Amino acid sequence: MLTPYDEFPVHQAPYTFSHIPSTDYNWDDGYYFGVFSPDDGIFLATGARINPNSDMIGGYALLNVRGQQRTVRFNRCWRGNFDIEIGPWRVEFIKPLKEIRLSMADNESGLSFDLIWEGTSPAFLEEHHIAEHRGRRTTDQTRYSQPGKARGWIRLDGREWQVDPVGWSGARDHSWGLYAERPPLSPVASLLPPRKADDGPKRALRFWTCFRSDPISGFFHMHETAEGVQCKMNDVFGTPFGGTLFRGWEGDPIQLAKGRHEISFHPGTRIMKDAMVHLEDSEGREWRVQFEAIGMPWVVQTMGYHPGSWKDGGTFFTYHGSEELALEWDEFDFSEQPFVHTPYKVSGEQAATNFGEGTGTEHPGQKIQGPEYLARVTTYTPDGSVSSGAAQVELFINGPYAPYGFE
């Protein structure tokens, strides 16, 4: 089947763009965008992913206002319409890799917006992600991440926020390939041999951030074992360390070579209060980036990625009764964490994923927390200058983690 993208001379396989080189239901392609203001305590997260093998495109728009979180989920069948739009929601690339319009027209959920998301520096191409289980490739994915700023407006139930690039920052990523196994479109784990004990080090910590503190903006991530060792892992994320700092669009990128963190947590929890990250660039210069979390983290379980995030127990990759548009929403108060969250109509292994956020819901009554933080950021450069701004921080801590005494 031809797509609009087949008009361009960019094919890398002797097939049309609607043909995917895998029959795995975990092969997908899609975007994530964040728009946020620490001063207002507001975080808008929106995005979509295409699953060609289930013929679905599904997305979400989530607005967290000081812990009160409304999430709108939507999907439709993909091959009848290759535009990046689902009902009222749409993405337009004004200048690819630089300027993007995100919009959601008025709809029954009460959430709408019209925003221009603009990169503050080039995107960073992450190291390729690969993982396997008993010889079967389970992750084989390319991803790039980018810090940004935004302008436009957001509305919720008659309230309106004017978004300006001075006070509102952004983060985004784009990834494609084999990502993560997600029930119900994945093998049932209990029907397969158990994972081998020697299939590589296990991830206990993931620290990911896109931040903007003009004139410095950048991206970096760290992944560590339970002992705090950064090493290559057989994992959906897997990379020990990577990142780059930029001074806008001009000048050479500042390649980061290594990093370490000092994180403080709210007493009795794994919820980040603040963090100081010490970075060393490829020329041996020392940088420091300080993060101050604003309120409680926002929660990913309502977005549509997770089994039971849709009210019928499915995900945005499963069919919800309409080929043209399925749309639903919910609202939760996440201002106090950790909390008990029960997915819709699934339990046990059908509620599990291998994202490994450290917030699994497969155990009824288990308290969880959000992994996504709105943060103020302060950057200390090697020459002694200081700048401030905003950041998104993604922090997972899975099981035991010795550096901070978690058991």
Side-chain angles (χ1 to χ4, degrees):
M1 176 182 288
L2 286 173
T3 78
Y5 312 110
D6 291 301
E7 189 74 66
F8 298 92
V10 294
H11 293 80
Q12 299 183 46
Y15 301 99
T16 66
F17 277 95
S18 67
H19 177 89
I20 303 303
S22 171
T23 59
D24 197 313
Y25 283 119
N26 301 310
W27 203 106
D28 64 4
D29 189 339
Y31 308 96
Y32 161 80
F33 297 91
V35 173
F36 43 87
S37 167
D39 290 342
D40 293 292
I42 296 174
F43 203 115
L44 173 73
T46 190
R49 301 195 73 81
I50 295 166
N51 187 320
N53 292 321
S54 67
D55 193 26
M56 303 301 297
I57 175 172
Y60 56 90
L62 172 159
L63 187 69
N64 187 296
V65 183
R66 301 190 185 280
Q68 198 73 22
Q69 181 171 310
R70 184 171 303 183
T71 308
V72 188
R73 297 174 292 273
F74 32 81
N75 81 344
R76 63 169 173 82
C77 291
W78 176 56
R79 285 187 170 85
N81 175 5
F82 292 104
D83 290 337
I84 308 174
E85 63 180 16
I86 311 169
W89 182 90
R90 185 177 180 86
V91 175
E92 302 169 65
F93 293 92
I94 300 169
K95 297 179 182 178
L97 296 174
K98 287 189 176 183
E99 191 174 346
I100 302 159
R101 183 182 181 191
L102 312 172
S103 62
M104 188 158 75
D106 290 341
N107 63 88
E108 57 266 39
S109 76
L111 175 61
S112 58
F113 50 85
D114 193 349
L115 299 163
I116 300 296
W117 194 103
E118 183 180 353
T120 54
S121 64
F124 175 81
L125 181 62
E126 299 180 21
E127 182 180 330
H128 197 73
H129 300 188
I130 292 179
E132 65 175 33
H133 174 213
R134 290 184 172 266
R136 173 177 172 262
R137 186 65 54 87
T138 55
T139 297
D140 190 354
Q141 185 195 60
T142 292
R143 180 190 300 268
Y144 59 79
S145 299
Q146 187 176 25
K149 57 187 177 182
R151 65 182 188 272
W153 54 264
I154 302 169
R155 295 183 187 133
L156 179 69
D157 294 342
R159 300 176 66 188
E160 180 171 317
W161 294 271
Q162 291 298 314
V163 176
D164 68 85
V166 175
W168 291 73
S169 296
R172 80 172 184 117
D173 69 27
H174 177 195
S175 60
W176 61 95
L178 286 176
Y179 190 6
E181 295 179 328
R182 289 178 276 233
L185 301 180
S186 65
V188 178
S190 62
L191 300 180
L192 298 174
R195 291 187 176 272
K196 293 183 177 180
D198 60 352
D199 66 355
K202 303 293 188 297
R203 171 171 50 85
L205 176 140
R206 168 171 165 82
F207 190 106
W208 174 103
T209 185
C210 278
F211 71 95
R212 170 197 174 200
S213 56
D214 293 336
I216 304 295
S217 60
F219 159 84
F220 60 85
H221 59 180
M222 295 174 278
H223 300 101
E224 300 180 359
T225 67
E227 293 74 35
V229 177
Q230 293 178 11
C231 60
K232 186 69 175 177
M233 301 176 199
N234 184 25
D235 180 81
V236 67
F237 300 116
T239 309
F241 176 85
T244 303
L245 306 180
F246 300 90
R247 296 184 185 274
W249 289 88
E250 306 299 327
D252 296 329
I254 302 161
Q255 302 293 342
L256 297 176
K258 58 184 178 180
R260 62 180 178 87
H261 49 83
E262 299 167 0
I263 306 173
S264 66
F265 300 86
H266 289 276
T269 76
R270 302 184 182 207
I271 300 172
M272 184 181 79
K273 186 176 181 181
D274 52 50
M276 178 68 81
V277 178
H278 301 263
L279 301 167
E280 182 179 314
D281 65 27
S282 58
E283 297 182 9
R285 297 173 298 185
E286 299 290 334
W287 301 70
R288 288 182 298 145
V289 184
Q290 185 172 19
F291 301 90
E292 176 197 355
I294 304 301
M296 291 290 104
W298 56 270
V299 177
V300 298
Q301 273 82 355
T302 66
M303 295 165 66
Y305 288 91
H306 293 67
S309 53
W310 277 70
K311 293 178 181 179
D312 61 7
T315 70
F316 56 34
F317 285 160
T318 60
Y319 181 70
H320 302 291
S322 173
E323 294 203 16
E324 288 75 35
L325 176 65
L327 187 148
E328 66 175 31
W329 66 94
D330 50 29
E331 184 164 331
F332 297 97
D333 185 350
F334 292 136
S335 59
E336 295 186 10
Q337 299 186 32
F339 59 94
V340 175
H341 179 70
T342 303
Y344 294 111
K345 294 189 177 180
V346 293
S347 61
E349 67 178 325
Q350 286 299 316
T353 77
N354 67 350
F355 283 113
E357 299 110 323
T359 59
T361 55
E362 59 270 27
H363 304 296
Q366 177 184 356
K367 286 190 174 183
I368 66 171
Q369 67 185 60
E372 308 292 345
Y373 294 82
L374 169 60
R376 289 192 174 92
V377 63
T378 305
T379 303
Y380 302 86
T381 71
D383 63 12
S385 63
V386 180
S387 58
S388 60
Q392 177 180 355
V393 173
E394 183 172 87
L395 175 63
F396 305 162
I397 297 179
N398 305 73
Y401 184 67
Y404 296 123
F406 293 126
E407 298 179 354

